[in-house]
Amino acid sequence: MRTQWKLWSRAVCGAALVLVAVSAARGAETGFVDRVYRDAAGAHKYVVFVPHAYRADKEWPTILFLHGAGERGSDGQRQVQVGLGPAVRMHALSFPFITVFPQVEDLEGAVTRGWLPDGPDGKRALAILSDVEKSYRTDKNRTYLTGISMGGFGTWAHAAADPDRWAAIAPICGGGEPSWAPKLAQLPIWCFHGADDRAVPAQRSREMIHAITQAGGHPKYTEYPNTEHNSWDKAYGTDELYTWLLKQQRGQDKAAARAVHHFTAATTQATQYGPVRPYAQPPGGQAGAAQEPPFIPAVAVPDALYVRLGRDMLAALADSLPFIAPREALSGRLPDMSQVTSESGYTFNVTMSGITYSAQLTRALIEPVDNGQLSVALYLRNVNVVLGQTYVSGSGRSAVVGPVRIVLGTRRDLPLEFVVQPMANRGRLQFRLISSRFRIPSDNWTVGWPASVQVSGLGMTEGRVSSSLVSGISGDPSRIENQVRSAIPTMLGQLEQFLNMSQATDAVAGLWPLPVYHPRVRSWPAAVSGDRDGLTIVLGISAAALGGDRPQRPEVVELSGV
């Protein structure tokens, strides 16, 4: 009896020791864990997902997730609600990555800069990642970076700033600078974008993939057809991405990695959402696909439905404007400038021609005001105005001055403010300019020295002409201010061409009243009205002819109400 008791006691003690050992090995709360990071600026909430199978006796792969603009704040929770968080939650019991969810706290800054590695939120994201690495057993050779929209831009930027930090990156619906390509060429990359994304056009990802490929890299690129901005639902919703990530490690044999990477990038892989295809394949499907017949309207409903853009929606549109504004809207040619001036008792005619401009849009504000008008502020940085040729003549003297570069917004962003009247004209949304304002503070611009000067006539020297021209421009910024304001109609024209009601087409097709078929439809603005709380756009819809007899004019159907 005593022997049996000893054996039983040893068994209980042994079991207890095993339980203690297992408990110590686990030693951490699992699932989504709320944490706080503290620095000199105060307390910052974030979330870390700890795999349910986590044990401290092995190293775990880690993902740093950078959220989009809509999840900014300081609640420490929004960043888990969109993007990677829902995907992790759906597979929480088996998800194998420690996943870090920091949050951008700056609500006012430009969304393109929210996660930049030299900004406060970008620096804090890396500090939080380091904090997690100290608290949990992580595999530093398998640390991955991914982000959506604003976080997609941040993913590219962090990877370019420190490519050796990451085993692989997966930027989604973002963009970066093609000049970063040499730094990224050796980094495993799988980029995702929606072909119909209007918040951040797919061209931004295509440019990066093309540049990295040209630099010798072998990035993977998936562009989902018929998909708008939230391509992250598809990218994070399948196992392929996570399987691929787990195969990537820092320090792995580069030749072998490139060979595998090149093979997968060059092979079309079917998924439930569409093909994973290399950059070289054009969007829109395989070659030889049937061409869509021309759109010939057979039926038109002028006042079919309306779209209400309240203050919150206009603010969201303003947040996305730095992403969606066509680049040609921020660059172009300005009209010539002519004036008569006096120097040393002589009168000269001065003509500046070949004037070009380019600018970087960092953020925007859009607010409704009286009479259905919109107040718009575009915050510009590094506005380059180049005076191609300046001709000076008078009193038997002349000079031809080569390019002069003027840079505005060298220290801080410059607001270009204007009021527009939105209207519907012949089925298109247009903006009539009401007023504008632009000022250049004296400490926020520079005038460069002319690249070349050719002079003719008594007393005309290169130094005197150059000095007079630079001081004349610097002393009267109103001329440059007027030139910048003169570019607003061109900007609006480019924006009008870019903006249309195609986003509403899918919804309109679902509302089509005839149950027999769903024709190809197009929507168009029929009327625009507004108040201090927002803008209302009344949409008309047209349905294409099905073939056979094609009417010269569409049949107009009047509804009893919008």
Side-chain angles (χ1 to χ4, degrees), residues 74 154 196 228 317 319 337 361 448 520:
S74 56
D196 297 336
E228 298 179 359
L317 175 62
D319 279 345
M337 292 192 300
L361 176 62
R520 290 185 296 137

Side-chain angles (χ1 to χ4, degrees), residues 134-458:
K134 295 175 183 176
S135 302
Y136 301 90
R137 185 81 182 277
T138 64
D139 185 348
K140 293 184 174 57
N141 288 324
R142 290 191 296 168
T143 303
Y144 310 104
L145 177 63
T146 185
I148 62 174
S149 192
M150 180 180 77
F153 281 82
T155 298
W156 285 115
H158 276 274
D162 189 3
D164 294 332
R165 177 74 172 82
W166 315 101
I169 66 169
I172 300 176
C173 59
E177 296 297 332
S179 60
W180 297 340
K183 302 177 183 179
L184 300 168
Q186 301 302 316
L187 183 63
I189 299 170
W190 193 348
C191 176
F192 300 84
H193 220 118
D196 297 336
D197 191 335
R198 293 178 61 80
V200 182
Q203 183 63 24
R204 300 302 301 270
S205 285
R206 296 175 194 159
E207 289 175 350
M208 293 301 296
I209 296 301
H210 178 69
I212 294 169
T213 302
Q214 292 295 105
H218 300 287
K220 295 180 67 172
Y221 178 48
T222 299
E223 187 174 298
Y224 297 112
N226 306 315
T227 301
E228 298 179 359
H229 191 46
N230 64 333
S231 53
W232 53 79
D233 287 340
K234 296 179 177 179
Y236 292 142
T238 58
D239 293 337
E240 284 86 353
L241 172 60
Y242 311 111
T243 301
W244 176 81
L245 286 175
L246 289 172
K247 294 178 181 178
Q248 315 305 320
Q249 296 189 49
R250 277 196 322 169
Q252 63 184 342
D253 181 73
K254 295 295 183 181
R258 285 196 298 269
V260 173
H261 209 185
H262 178 73
F263 175 78
T264 55
T267 304
T268 300
Q269 302 175 354
T271 73
Q272 60 175 305
Y273 297 112
V276 175
R277 49 187 170 77
Y279 170 81
Q281 181 176 339
Q286 298 177 354
Q291 296 295 316
E292 189 176 65
F295 188 95
I296 300 177
V299 179
V301 184
D303 301 325
L305 66 159
Y306 71 89
V307 176
R308 177 66 177 175
L309 304 179
R311 285 183 171 270
D312 289 344
M313 182 59 72
L314 290 173
L317 175 62
D319 279 345
S320 66
L321 202 56
F323 302 133
I324 69 174
R327 294 191 176 186
E328 54 268 26
L330 298 170
S331 61
R333 194 178 183 91
L334 297 172
D336 294 351
M337 292 192 300
S338 297
Q339 68 177 91
V340 178
T341 186
S342 297
E343 178 71 23
S344 302
Y346 298 102
T347 300
F348 294 94
N349 295 311
V350 180
T351 300
M352 301 174 182
S353 64
I355 306 174
T356 60
Y357 71 92
S358 63
Q360 177 187 355
L361 176 62
T362 61
R363 63 188 179 103
L365 297 176
I366 303 177
E367 292 186 346
V369 291
D370 293 326
N371 303 319
Q373 297 172 353
L374 296 178
S375 174
V376 182
L378 304 179
Y379 289 83
L380 305 177
R381 178 175 300 169
N382 296 327
V383 183
N384 282 264
V385 179
V386 178
L387 311 178
Q389 295 287 334
T390 301
Y391 303 93
V392 181
S393 62
S395 304
R397 298 166 176 81
S398 64
V400 179
V401 182
V404 175
R405 182 179 299 275
I406 304 168
V407 184
L408 317 176
T410 55
R411 293 176 177 268
R412 54 192 176 275
D413 295 348
L414 288 173
L416 174 60
E417 301 168 296
F418 51 92
V419 177
V420 295
Q421 179 75 62
M423 61 182 63
N425 184 20
R426 297 182 180 181
R428 296 192 66 84
L429 185 64
Q430 294 185 342
F431 302 98
R432 181 165 63 90
L433 182 63
I434 304 299
S435 62
S436 63
R437 182 178 183 275
F438 182 70
R439 293 288 184 269
I440 308 173
S442 59
D443 65 340
N444 202 20
W445 71 310
T446 60
V447 181
W449 207 253
S452 65
V453 180
Q454 299 177 3
V455 297
S456 175
L458 183 64

Side-chain angles (χ1 to χ4, degrees), residues 442-476:
S442 59
D443 65 340
N444 202 20
W445 71 310
T446 60
V447 181
W449 207 253
S452 65
V453 180
Q454 299 177 3
V455 297
S456 175
L458 183 64
M460 298 288 281
T461 66
E462 294 183 10
R464 179 175 295 177
V465 170
S466 297
S467 178
S468 297
L469 182 61
V470 170
S471 62
I473 296 173
S474 303
D476 186 11

